[in-house]
Amino acid sequence: KAGVTQTPRYLIKTRGQQVTLSCSPISGHRSVSWYQQTPGQGLQFLFEYFSETQRNKGNFPGRFSGRQFSNSRSEMNVSTLELGDSALYLCASSLGDSSTAFFGQGTRLTVV
Amino acid sequence: DAKTTQPTSMDCAEGRAANLPCNHSTISGNEYVYWYRQIHSQGPQYIIHGLKNNETNEMASLIITEDRKSSTLILPHATLRDTAVYYCIVVHGSGNTGKLIFGQGTTLQVKP
């Protein structure tokens, strides 16, 4: 079974731009969660989508948004990028019913 | 969800057992203990989880005390590739593995 796939793996953007990251969950998984990891703040939960609906949300500004498609694939968007948005963005998927969550390899975003 | 406390760092000699402790004194009856590890900016890797009984899989063993206030992850024969940050996470039984709250974890350094 293929694991969680995140694209792209690396990305460089300029301040003020927007970016879209993609996550393909493990086949059959309906829950997709997004996390941000920075050296200063560690691993922080952004939001979770289940069956195309946002089920949980972390404490991030509205510039961070996401969506989930009917095939469970998810995208995360960050608008008006700031230097502090430079981070490793991780996606995790699970069946959604308290089963184990598995992570992708992440997308490394650098904002210059 | 209950908070967890882990030592910041630990060393282990290659080939020896690595015992990583985690304190979760406020854990409630239906909360699970999950362990993940992260090897140098890769996505976190699921290791093992348990509720009250000890658990073992091909990667590790999880020992949970009878009062469930602490647990120990055991890597029976540590190798250099086990050098990583290990996270102990408590998850509510009704199931939010879609929202994992990561602490700072324990940095395990396996030395030759």
Side-chain angles (χ1 to χ4, degrees):
Chain A
K1 218 179 208 183
V4 180
T5 303
Q6 293 188 243
T7 56
R9 290 294 311 277
Y10 302 92
L11 206 46
I12 300 175
K13 289 287 189 178
T14 304
R15 269 181 304 175
Q17 287 186 313
Q18 73 164 10
V19 67
T20 299
L21 312 182
S22 179
C23 174
S24 293
I26 292 171
S27 178
H29 284 193
R30 296 167 64 195
S31 167
V32 174
S33 301
W34 289 89
Y35 296 81
Q36 181 197 65
Q37 186 172 29
T38 60
Q41 299 298 318
L43 257 163
Q44 293 185 286
F45 170 76
L46 278 158
F47 31 66
E48 179 204 6
Y49 285 85
F50 179 78
S51 293
E52 302 179 66
T53 301
Q54 189 179 85
R55 186 159 72 170
N56 281 290
K57 187 177 187 310
N59 190 25
F60 278 81
R63 300 185 297 108
F64 292 82
S65 63
R67 59 177 175 169
Q68 186 179 34
F69 303 95
S70 58
N71 61 358
S72 293
R73 190 177 71 85
S74 177
E75 288 181 346
M76 193 194 99
N77 185 276
V78 188
S79 63
T80 320
L81 283 165
E82 301 176 359
L83 295 179
D85 297 332
S86 294
L88 180 67
Y89 289 89
L90 293 156
C91 157
S93 78
S94 74
L95 290 170
D97 57 351
S98 77
S99 62
T100 301
F102 295 93
F103 284 80
Q105 291 305 296
T107 294
R108 172 73 63 184
L109 172 66
T110 302
V111 182
V112 297
Chain B
D1 294 338
K3 287 192 69 173
T4 62
T5 304
Q6 300 177 252
T8 303
S9 63
M10 294 181 63
D11 289 343
C12 177
E14 189 178 20
R16 304 298 293 268
N19 296 278
L20 292 93
C22 179
N23 181 285
H24 31 79
S25 58
T26 61
I27 195 169
S28 57
N30 59 354
E31 289 183 319
Y32 286 75
V33 180
Y34 274 75
W35 284 83
Y36 285 82
R37 72 180 183 184
Q38 188 174 27
I39 298 172
H40 192 55
S41 293
Q42 296 180 23
Q45 177 188 25
Y46 165 77
I47 301 173
I48 198 167
H49 73 281
L51 182 63
K52 57 177 80 172
N53 297 320
N54 298 337
E55 302 288 344
T56 295
N57 63 20
E58 64 279 3
M59 287 184 68
S61 294
L62 174 61
I63 308 297
I64 303 174
T65 57
E66 198 168 333
D67 63 7
R68 303 186 69 241
K69 293 184 177 182
S70 66
S71 60
T72 301
L73 178 75
I74 301 172
L75 308 177
H77 305 287
T79 71
L80 298 179
R81 288 177 297 178
D82 293 321
T83 293
V85 179
Y86 288 77
Y87 297 99
C88 168
I89 302 168
V90 170
V91 178
H92 195 277
S94 69
N96 241 336
T97 54
K99 180 182 178 182
L100 299 174
I101 306 302
F102 287 81
Q104 294 307 303
T106 296
T107 299
L108 175 69
Q109 181 74 46
V110 180
K111 300 187 173 182

